[in-house]
Amino acid sequence: MISVLTVVLCFQLNIQFHIDLTLLSIAIVFPLVFTIRGSFRRREKALEHLSQFRSSLKTMYYFANASNNLSPEEKQEISDILREISDSSMEHLKNNMETTEYLDPILNKVQAFVDAKGEVMSGRLKDRIFRFMNDLHESLENLHAINTHRTPLSLKAYCKLFIYIFPFLYAPTIIHDMGADNPTYVTLFVVLLTEFILISLYNIQDQLEFPFDDYGLDDIKLDSFKIDR
């Protein structure tokens, strides 16, 4: 809408001037590409931590169920705890929660289980469980940090502001370079196409910014990282 109004007004008021478009590309395209690259790297790191998270859960599950000291009921209890951790963690990420207030007590159930079964569990099994709980906590903390600490808001606001300002500078420059005698629809097409590209890049970055909400095409499929998938 802004692009259309800008082109029409420039033709009606005969507004045209020349600005080096290289400066505009540096002011807009470079920050956009930078934020997209940063968001993509965060997404790739999230995939690594999710893989570590699931492998830690599965390994603890195997150790607990392979133990000869635990009864079938006790094995089922620790398995249910691990499933609850898996489901709650995925739900935590999907809802973009900024606090782990409700998640921490669920994670502490493993410690409570080990304390309650300390007499029947071997020291070797305890050490293995705590070792992989350390990996699980590390991966979850990294995932939580990725989920809550995003691309700097000031940089996103800067990009969005310049995208809206862009037609006011670009339209007169295109009219000047192409000539005022050219048909209006040609200039309008060029301005709209350029603005569409910029808006598309901004939307791509915005979708990559939230990789866990299962909303965009490139979001992470969290269900694939549950203990039971």
Side-chain angles (χ1 to χ4, degrees), residues 58-68 70 72 74-76 78-79 82-83 125:
K58 292 295 290 186
T59 304
M60 284 190 289
Y61 174 84
Y62 294 145
F63 277 137
N65 282 271
S67 174
N68 295 323
L70 296 177
E74 292 168 336
K75 291 179 181 179
Q76 184 62 44
I78 185 63
S79 297
L82 295 177
R83 289 189 181 93
L125 178 58

Side-chain angles (χ1 to χ4, degrees), residues 4 13 21 66 120 152 160 193 201 204 226:
V4 175
L13 302 178
L21 296 180
V120 297
K160 193 171 186 178
L193 178 62
L201 289 174
I204 290 172
K226 289 184 177 180

Side-chain angles (χ1 to χ4, degrees), residues 26-119:
I26 293 175
I28 301 177
V29 177
F30 177 76
L32 274 175
V33 173
F34 175 80
T35 54
I36 290 174
R37 183 179 298 175
S39 298
F40 182 78
R41 286 177 177 173
R42 289 171 60 254
R43 179 181 178 275
E44 295 304 298
K45 292 297 294 184
L47 289 171
E48 294 180 13
H49 297 311
L50 281 168
S51 299
Q52 182 185 17
F53 169 81
R54 186 176 187 276
S55 65
S56 299
L57 281 176
K58 292 295 290 186
T59 304
M60 284 190 289
Y61 174 84
Y62 294 145
F63 277 137
N65 282 271
S67 174
N68 295 323
N69 296 328
L70 296 177
S71 66
E73 292 77 15
E74 292 168 336
K75 291 179 181 179
Q76 184 62 44
E77 182 181 353
I78 185 63
S79 297
D80 290 341
I81 292 174
L82 295 177
R83 289 189 181 93
E84 185 180 7
I85 291 174
S86 174
D87 294 339
S88 300
S89 299
M90 296 303 102
E91 194 67 23
H92 169 82
L93 294 173
K94 187 175 293 185
N95 293 331
N96 290 321
M97 295 182 180
E98 295 186 358
T99 176
T100 59
E101 184 177 353
Y102 94 100
L103 187 60
D104 290 336
I106 299 174
L107 295 172
N108 292 335
K109 288 184 179 181
V110 175
Q111 172 70 43
F113 176 84
V114 173
D115 291 341
K117 311 299 179 183
E119 295 182 358

Side-chain angles (χ1 to χ4, degrees), residues 9 39 54 58 70 77 89 99 130 138 140 145 169 173 181 190 204-206:
L9 286 175
S39 298
R54 186 176 187 276
K58 292 295 290 186
L70 296 177
E77 182 181 353
S89 299
T99 176
F130 287 138
E138 182 180 354
L140 266 182
L169 302 176
T173 301
D181 296 333
V190 173
I204 290 172
Q205 190 277 331
D206 192 55

